[in-house]
Amino acid sequence: IDYIVFHNPNEVAELLYNQGFEPPDTPEDLSLAIKELTRKKGRKFIEELVKIHPDKQAILSLDKDGATEKCGVCKDNLYDTSENYCKGCGHSNYLGSGDEDSFLAQFEDTKDSELEKYYKSIVRKSNTAPEDKNLAQEVQMVWNEIRQRKSKQNKPENSSPSSTKQFISRDDLLIMGIVFIAGALVGHGLKFNINNG
């Protein structure tokens, strides 16, 4: 952790800030804060920390077991075709195995702009290989994810079906009460006049 903090303090401070904490001014305090957050958040946070390791590319290039190609998400040449995942960002392509939910789960932390770039790249790839049904299905799933995100953004967060109904205001109730009382008094007055002749 110290190595990452002292060689990449700006990105580590940004990571800490994105977790909701104010980054300390000195690298030593920043290192202590990152260690504490690592203990609290666990593996998920460690994965985020490793993504900003200053020697990440050199470490990952040592593993030559699988053939690699350019990843459609992070654009690094770290996509292991034999294992179907990127050693840099963890992305995996959809293989048509019926696990759509786990495939889409990898995009939960992906920004909308990055997801749209990925969508455009797989559309181009799909257009060059129209016979690849799994790729066509992946295009459709990613498009649906983008569409759902946009519909959530366009919908106000606090709106619910009941909040769009119009209720009677206090002023309206007051006016209705006065009209009712006036009507009752007029009706009582007319009844009194009819009985008295």
Side-chain angles (χ1 to χ4, degrees), residues 16 22-24 28-38 45:
L16 188 63
E22 189 66 33
E28 292 82 12
D29 291 339
L30 184 60
S31 178
L32 291 173
I34 290 294
K35 287 176 184 177
E36 180 64 29
L37 195 56
T38 301
F45 183 72

Side-chain angles (χ1 to χ4, degrees), residues 31-88:
S31 178
L32 291 173
I34 290 294
K35 287 176 184 177
E36 180 64 29
L37 195 56
T38 301
R39 281 191 288 276
K40 287 183 180 180
K41 297 269 184 169
R43 183 183 178 105
K44 184 108 173 137
F45 183 72
I46 291 172
E47 290 173 2
E48 292 295 317
L49 194 58
V50 169
K51 287 180 184 178
I52 59 174
H53 192 289
D55 298 329
K56 178 178 101 174
Q57 299 298 336
I59 294 168
L60 291 174
S61 67
L62 294 174
D63 184 16
K64 298 288 184 186
D65 294 341
T68 58
E69 62 181 43
K70 189 173 187 176
C71 176
V73 176
C74 69
K75 307 297 183 218
D76 289 333
N77 286 324
L78 299 171
Y79 192 85
D80 186 341
T81 54
S82 63
E83 295 292 323
N84 186 35
Y85 81 99
C86 177
K87 296 175 187 176

Side-chain angles (χ1 to χ4, degrees), residues 13 16-25 29-30 33:
L16 188 63
Y17 181 79
N18 290 340
Q19 294 291 323
F21 298 98
E22 189 66 33
D25 295 329
D29 291 339
L30 184 60

Side-chain angles (χ1 to χ4, degrees), residues 87-121:
K87 296 175 187 176
C89 67
H91 169 73
S92 61
N93 289 328
Y94 182 67
L95 296 177
S97 55
D99 57 343
E100 290 86 2
D101 292 335
S102 64
F103 169 75
L104 290 173
Q106 68 184 333
F107 297 113
E108 287 177 357
D109 295 331
T110 306
K111 295 178 184 172
D112 292 349
S113 60
E114 292 173 0
L115 187 60
E116 288 180 18
K117 286 180 190 174
Y118 176 68
Y119 171 74
K120 289 176 184 176
S121 72

